[in-house]
Amino acid sequence: MSDIPEHGRQVLDADAMRQWAARGIETLTRHRRGVDELNVFPVADSDTATNMLATLQAAFQGATPGLTLPALMDEAASRALLAARGNSGVILAQMLRGLADAWTAAGIDSRGFAAGLRSATDAATAAVAVPTAGTILTVAETAASAAAKAAPFGLVSAARAAAEAAADAVAATPGQLPALARAGVVDAGGMALALLLEALVETLTGSVSTGALDLLERHRNRSGAQVEEVPRETGSEAFDYEVQYLLESDAERASELRHRLIELGDSVVIIGSRAAKSVTTFNVHVHVNDIGAAIEAGIERGRVHRISVTRFDDAYSRHHGGPASGHEEAGPFTLQRAVAAVTSLPQLRGLLESEGCPVAATASPDDVLAAIRAGGGPNAVVLVDDPAALDAVREAVGAARRDGYRVAVIPTGSIMQSLAAFAVHDAERPFDDDVIAMAEAAASCRTGEVRFDGGTVLGLVDGDVIHTGTDPAVAALDLVDRLCSAGAELVTVLAGSGSDAETVTALSDHVRRAWPLVELQQLPAGQDEPLILIGAE
């Protein structure tokens, strides 16, 4: 390293950060497939760069204009927390939180940059239950140390040192992680991070730093045939599913959850937003076989929502040659399962039961247990849209399991999400596959509500007020347009007892005219509040 500072931008401010993010997004987009092909650890699902790219796009694309660097980073970290998917995406989101916590001035010099990399590395490492050598964490550690040593020579020198050290660390990963050595690849997450650091050097200097790019190209030319010949892992060595969700809780209960998930699976990563209040949003990630247990562990410690479940390999199971969960379901009796609902809108009980979904008469353990038993088989899925009922559901599920039932709980954000989950239920599928499909259907359904608040008509989407006025019909049209413009394929309308037929008819006519490709269904409900419920899938 020369003692002479290098030419280039020597302060990282909000404008430079936006440029770095844009260049990083462009770089990962261009090399996404090549990096994804390296992905064999912790699971060979070929999505490392894809997940990191999606996280970075969520963090910075559409960011609020005119923010200072601290405000920009805080917003980006918060957006990344909610959007992060997969092991690599969650780690990147936590690194952004580490940068945000360290970068509290409008402009960051070389020492501030090095401090930020150190904060990002420490935050990401702390979020991973069992840090592993030869991964993105190792590359981040090496880059942070190099940046600190080069900081006296300016920001460009520190950034270039971090990028060069990261590329060298990536090249060394096969010697640290046996899974990489067996497959003849380097670590995908580390490679993506090295590419992002090279994008920073290009942002600061205008010149291209190619250490990681050259390594990626050499690796693809040298080892493409090797990778095809070496059996790649199909998922975690012992676990078939990736479960991820958002948890509203506090730090103490999130720590308890971490210990519980370590008992259930591996690749446990839990990241949280800045603790400005006692209740914090956490992004929870784990690889497991028991999907229901992983979700219920979160339910026991806070409010769970936005559940995502991914099967690593649909081709075959590693467990006893049976379904991916390891549980055989043979014969007509074992295929039977109840899908029971616990809802805050009892007026919908008749609608659900007419479709074959038992509903707990009250949110009591006895009634929930009765609904579970109503399916006539040893398996049950419980849909819960009422957070106040979760204690009763937990008690009932415990009793059912002691009686030999296999039960999974899917907490939904609304009755519309419960209906969406129930609509895709298929008793012919293996139990865990059915739970996955129902959880994904619930997560993909957005809910609109039109309700009165005193003399004001409110329009809400997923609990957030996006319309205020005096006319329920106008509010309903506004909601349905917003939901359809976000890509809805099916809109379900539940009219409350206080709504008038003209409003519902006008809403239906508008959807058919303005959104001809969107399927519309109306279901009888009659709830007192809200006036109108709209589900968009």
Side-chain angles (χ1 to χ4, degrees):
M1 175 68 64
S2 169
D3 290 349
I4 302 175
E6 298 186 56
H7 294 293
R9 177 177 273 169
Q10 296 296 334
V11 175
L12 184 66
D13 56 16
D15 287 342
M17 186 66 229
R18 290 176 187 273
Q19 293 171 26
W20 178 18
R23 199 176 300 273
I25 290 169
E26 189 274 332
T27 298
L28 286 185
T29 300
R30 186 158 20 103
H31 300 289
R32 178 179 61 83
R33 178 172 296 180
V35 176
D36 280 347
E37 288 174 351
L38 304 176
N39 178 202
V40 300
F41 183 87
V43 290
D45 44 3
S46 300
D47 64 357
T48 292
T50 298
N51 286 336
M52 293 178 72
L53 174 60
T55 302
L56 203 59
Q57 288 173 324
F60 288 100
Q61 288 186 342
T64 304
L67 295 178
T68 62
L69 180 63
L72 174 65
M73 294 307 301
D74 191 58
E75 179 184 86
S78 297
R79 290 160 63 117
L81 168 76
L82 300 179
R85 283 291 175 264
N87 203 64
S88 57
V90 174
I91 289 174
L92 178 59
Q94 188 69 347
M95 294 185 76
L96 290 174
R97 170 47 61 198
L99 292 177
D101 289 345
W103 291 351
T104 57
I108 298 300
D109 61 11
S110 58
R111 299 183 192 279
F113 169 70
L117 278 191
R118 169 52 53 198
S119 175
T121 300
D122 291 347
T125 302
V128 177
V130 184
T132 303
T135 65
I136 186 175
L137 299 178
T138 304
V139 176
E141 175 64 38
T142 304
S145 297
K149 290 179 181 178
F153 310 115
L155 178 59
V156 171
S157 294
R160 195 181 299 280
E164 292 173 354
D168 290 342
V170 173
T173 55
Q176 300 168 307
L177 194 55
L180 300 177
R182 289 195 301 270
V185 297
V186 294
D187 181 67
M191 176 64 78
L193 177 60
L195 290 173
L196 290 176
L197 289 171
E198 289 189 353
L200 172 62
V201 174
E202 188 175 353
T203 299
L204 296 176
T205 66
S207 62
V208 179
S209 181
T210 62
L213 287 172
D214 290 345
L215 176 62
L216 178 60
E217 191 60 31
R218 290 198 309 271
H219 171 83
R220 297 181 70 178
N221 290 338
R222 182 185 72 249
S223 64
Q226 283 183 284
V227 175
E228 291 179 1
E229 295 168 1
V230 177
R232 293 173 60 131
E233 297 178 307
T234 51
S236 185
E237 184 175 337
F239 303 103
D240 289 297
Y241 298 99
E242 177 184 68
V243 176
Q244 198 166 348
Y245 50 78
L246 298 182
L247 171 73
E248 307 292 334
S249 189
D250 56 44
E252 181 178 355
R253 287 186 288 178
S255 179
E256 293 175 1
L257 176 61
R258 177 195 297 267
H259 293 299
R260 174 58 179 146
L261 293 181
I262 290 173
E263 296 173 355
L264 293 171
D266 70 4
S267 295
V268 177
V269 186
I270 299 179
I271 65 173
S273 58
R274 181 177 289 166
K277 51 187 178 181
S278 59
V279 177
T280 301
T281 299
F282 295 89
N283 193 316
V284 179
H285 173 279
V286 64
H287 297 166
V288 293
N289 287 326
D290 192 337
I291 300 167
I295 296 173
E296 288 174 42
I299 293 172
E300 292 171 355
R301 293 165 177 86
R303 187 176 80 87
V304 169
H305 56 110
R306 206 179 296 181
I307 301 168
S308 172
V309 181
T310 303
R311 180 204 285 275
F312 292 130
D313 181 18
D314 285 316
Y316 67 95
S317 169
R318 289 173 294 284
H319 303 288
H320 314 298
S325 64
H327 296 274
E328 297 281 355
E329 286 195 55
F333 177 76
T334 53
L335 283 172
Q336 292 180 3
R337 71 181 64 111
V339 179
V342 182
T343 176
S344 58
L345 292 175
Q347 294 89 343
L348 294 176
R349 180 178 179 179
L351 170 64
L352 289 164
E353 289 184 335
S354 69
E355 298 295 326
C357 180
V359 181
T362 66
S364 70
D366 288 344
D367 285 341
V368 175
L369 184 58
I372 291 172
R373 290 171 172 165
N379 307 311
V381 181
V382 182
L383 305 172
V384 189
D385 70 51
D386 183 5
L390 286 173
D391 286 339
V393 170
R394 281 193 290 266
E395 185 176 339
V397 167
R401 287 175 176 160
R402 288 190 294 273
D403 290 342
Y405 281 80
R406 186 178 181 206
V407 186
V409 178
I410 300 177
T412 65
S414 69
I415 185 60
M416 306 306 293
Q417 290 186 334
S418 292
L419 289 171
F422 183 70
V424 301
H425 159 59
D426 182 355
E428 298 298 320
R429 278 193 294 244
F431 184 86
D432 283 335
D433 288 357
D434 206 25
V435 173
I436 290 174
M438 295 172 73
E440 290 179 343
S444 67
C445 177
R446 303 187 68 194
T447 300
E449 301 179 27
V450 177
R451 59 172 65 242
F452 276 118
D453 183 12
T456 303
V457 173
L458 300 180
L460 300 89
V461 174
D462 295 334
D464 295 326
V465 177
I466 54 89
H467 178 97
T468 58
T470 58
D471 189 339
V474 173
L477 292 178
D478 186 15
L479 291 188
V480 80
D481 282 341
R482 290 172 184 262
L483 292 170
C484 289
S485 65
E489 298 176 357
L490 170 66
V491 168
T492 302
V493 177
L494 300 181
S497 58
S499 63
D500 59 82
E502 290 78 7
T503 295
V504 177
T505 299
L507 179 62
S508 301
D509 291 342
H510 175 75
V511 171
R512 294 189 179 98
R513 182 177 61 255
W515 305 97
L517 299 181
V518 175
E519 183 181 352
L520 177 73
Q521 66 175 353
Q522 297 180 41
L523 299 176
Q527 73 276 359
D528 296 329
E529 278 285 347
L531 288 174
I532 299 174
L533 268 169
I534 304 171
E537 303 172 47

